[in-house]
Amino acid sequence: MRLPNGYGSVYKLSGKRRKPWIVVVSHGINAEGKVDREPIGYYRTRQEGLDALAIYHREPQYLAGNKKTFGEVVQEFLDYKASSKDISASYKASLRKLTPLHRHKFKHVTAHDLQLIMDSTTPSVSQVLKAAIKGLYKFAMMNSYTSTNLADALTPQAVDKSTLHYPFSPEEIHELWQHEGGFTADMALILIFTGMRIGELLTLKNSNIHEDYMIGGIKTKAGKDRVIPIHDAIKPIIQRYQSDKELFVSMSTSNFREHRWKNSGIPCLQKHTPHDGRHTCETMLNNANVNKVIIQRIIGHAGSDVDDSVYTHKTKEQLIEAINVLPTYK
């Protein structure tokens, strides 16, 4: 059956080939007065070629995606997420793990390729990486680069329960107070009595520290540039480290974790991670029956209940009052 003029061609190439049928489409006349023709794929049978040509006319982006490299699609995805300001540092860092696949054609990357990379990371990173891959392939499907989300076939590594976050006990908080004045103990107490992430503390600007609260936060829309109330008990600690420098504490997260925290010599810190301070704050606020939305505002979590929208403009005074219900355990 003859195809309509301008629709494209499907014909068989000479020689022994695994996919001998080529599909070619035209894009009009070029500057040299010749027909501008472009092959869009090779197929095992003529019918497969005809089906591909039909898809091209129905969804040209689908076959256009066949030519893109994995790296090109990742970059498009990052640009898309950046434009909506909906991407975290950990999300971007996890996608960098996929760099070995960047030169491959996007359509040739398999779930097995992705699984091998996930298996080469830590359990916590593999959890984040699966979420990032799921978002990447959802974006690719939205742009008709693929019809399958390979993330559905991936299995992240199981997280060792011994590494899960759990709160400091009252006795451990008391132990930290016995070491007040030491840098790591002071930072741990700030994390516990503000609910900050370690990354938020290490990027906090001195200019954003006020008498009863700070302006800071990273990672999520709800967490960025939020009001972080200061518990009265840690005000002297914060004042001790304030200076005319830009950052409250100038140190990388890895340096703090690997050197300061692990080598602090404080027994209770060897059983915890810096993030446990944040978890401790949230747990103590819950135990004190603080309003859930107030807790979300302090911690920087987005509200999930419909009624939460009523509380989106809680005052600084309410947040400061809430943080000060926490017992100090001195």
Side-chain angles (χ1 to χ4, degrees), residues 226-246:
R226 69 183 188 277
V227 172
I228 303 172
I230 300 174
H231 194 292
D232 288 343
I234 61 169
K235 284 182 179 179
I237 297 176
I238 290 176
Q239 291 167 1
R240 188 180 303 142
Y241 293 92
Q242 281 185 274
S243 69
D244 57 0
K245 296 180 180 179
E246 181 183 12

Side-chain angles (χ1 to χ4, degrees), residues 19 150 184 197 205 211 217 263 290 297 303 313 317 329:
K19 295 181 179 181
L150 295 186
T184 309
R197 299 177 177 90
K205 295 182 178 180
E211 182 180 358
N263 298 323
V290 172
R297 296 284 290 177
H313 298 290
E317 289 75 17
Y329 299 116

Side-chain angles (χ1 to χ4, degrees), residues 176 179-188 237 240-241 260 266:
L176 288 173
H179 293 273
E180 182 191 355
F183 175 80
T184 309
D186 287 349
M187 296 303 109
I237 297 176
R240 188 180 303 142
Y241 293 92
R260 293 291 192 157
I266 303 174

Side-chain angles (χ1 to χ4, degrees), residues 275-306:
H275 196 80
D276 287 348
R278 176 176 171 80
H279 189 55
T280 303
C281 181
E282 185 174 10
T283 299
M284 290 198 296
L285 288 167
N286 273 307
N287 290 343
N289 295 316
V290 172
N291 181 282
K292 184 184 72 171
V293 180
I294 291 288
I295 296 175
Q296 290 173 336
R297 296 284 290 177
I298 292 173
I299 298 298
H301 286 166
S304 58
D305 295 344
V306 174

Side-chain angles (χ1 to χ4, degrees), residues 183-185 202 251-266 269-270 274:
F183 175 80
T184 309
L202 298 180
M251 182 178 297
S252 69
T253 302
S254 59
N255 187 18
F256 181 82
R257 290 179 186 274
E258 299 302 321
H259 299 287
R260 293 291 192 157
W261 189 275
K262 288 185 177 180
N263 298 323
S264 66
I266 303 174
L269 293 186
Q270 308 313 306

